[in-house]
Every structure is written in C-alpha cells, then in structure tokens.
Amino acid sequence: MEEVYRFLKACGTYYLATMDGDQPRVRPFGTVDLYNGQLTIQTGRKKDVARQMLADPKVELCAFDGERWLRVAAKAVEVPEVAAQAHMLEAYPNLRNAYAPGDGNTMIFALTQVTATFSSFTEPSRTVTF
C-alpha cells in the first residue's frame, strides 16, 4: 500500500475512472493520503464523481511517472469520519478554499480490495494487492 501511495504522490496527477451508468468517465485527480491504514482519495459530495462512486464503487486509476505506470483497480468506500477529512486537508492545504472538515461537501473514499500493477516497457509487470 505504501509503495502505491508513494508512486501516486510522486506523480502528483493520476486519472480516476468511474462508471456513470454504462458510460466510463475519466478525470484527473491529485489527492491521495494514508489514513488509519487505508489508502484514501478526496472529492466533493456535489460532484458527479462522488455520485458515481456511491452508485458503483468499482474504480480504476492510472498514473505515469515518465518511465513506469501504475494501474489500480479498487472499490471506493466512503470514510465518513471528519478526522479523515481533516487529515487529507492538512496534506492538501490548497484545497481549503473549497473544502473544510465537516462542511457536508468534503468526502473521503478509501480504496479497498486493491489490485495494483506496476508496469514499464523495460521491466516485467509486478502486481500487489491489499
């Protein structure tokens, strides 16, 4: 889990895919945190992405560091704790102009049932699960 976290954090931007009915939706994301032994991401309750993850929690994300890429298949499970929101916003203070712990909009999702595959053109792929 920590290796996946470090890779995503180092990339800065990753791409999160959700399902919107029968249509996949992909968008850039940038939040990732480790909270209480879980890999977490953040979004706003008012956003379509939040509605999509609540309706169908299966997600995938992909990141590329210029040499290697990471694909993560997971289930996104809401973490309703205000402490999780505060922890994320401490790591991303630039989001505080749009989000605040306990504001009713800030949402944290834990990535569970994770299968993460590290790949490159020069090395064999390697998969980790957690």
Side-chain angles (χ1 to χ4, degrees):
M1 179 182 350
E2 292 203 15
E3 182 182 14
V4 171
Y5 166 75
R6 285 191 309 271
F7 190 93
L8 293 172
K9 192 78 167 169
C11 286
T13 300
Y14 58 89
Y15 296 87
L16 176 72
T18 59
M19 289 300 291
D20 188 10
D22 65 350
Q23 179 65 46
R25 303 289 180 190
V26 180
R27 79 278 292 150
F29 250 63
T31 57
V32 63
D33 197 13
L34 289 176
Y35 177 75
N36 280 354
Q38 296 178 309
L39 185 66
T40 60
I41 61 174
Q42 182 272 334
T43 192
R45 185 173 299 279
K46 298 173 187 173
K47 293 184 175 184
D48 288 343
V49 65
R51 177 185 52 77
Q52 291 159 7
M53 287 190 291
L54 290 170
D56 184 345
K58 289 181 274 181
V59 299
E60 289 202 8
L61 54 99
C62 187
F64 182 63
D65 71 1
E67 295 180 13
R68 299 177 305 145
W69 60 93
L70 171 66
R71 283 187 229 145
V72 176
K75 181 177 176 186
V77 178
E78 184 180 2
V79 179
E81 301 166 33
V82 173
Q85 298 170 17
H87 195 268
M88 180 70 77
L89 294 173
E90 285 174 22
Y92 294 92
N94 58 320
L95 294 177
R96 290 186 182 169
N97 62 346
Y99 300 101
D103 65 2
N105 184 38
T106 304
M107 292 187 79
I108 304 297
F109 286 89
L111 299 181
T112 65
Q113 301 174 21
V114 173
T115 299
T117 303
F118 293 90
S119 301
S120 78
F121 291 115
T122 59
E123 300 172 11
S125 293
R126 184 173 52 84
T127 300
V128 297
T129 59
F130 55 92

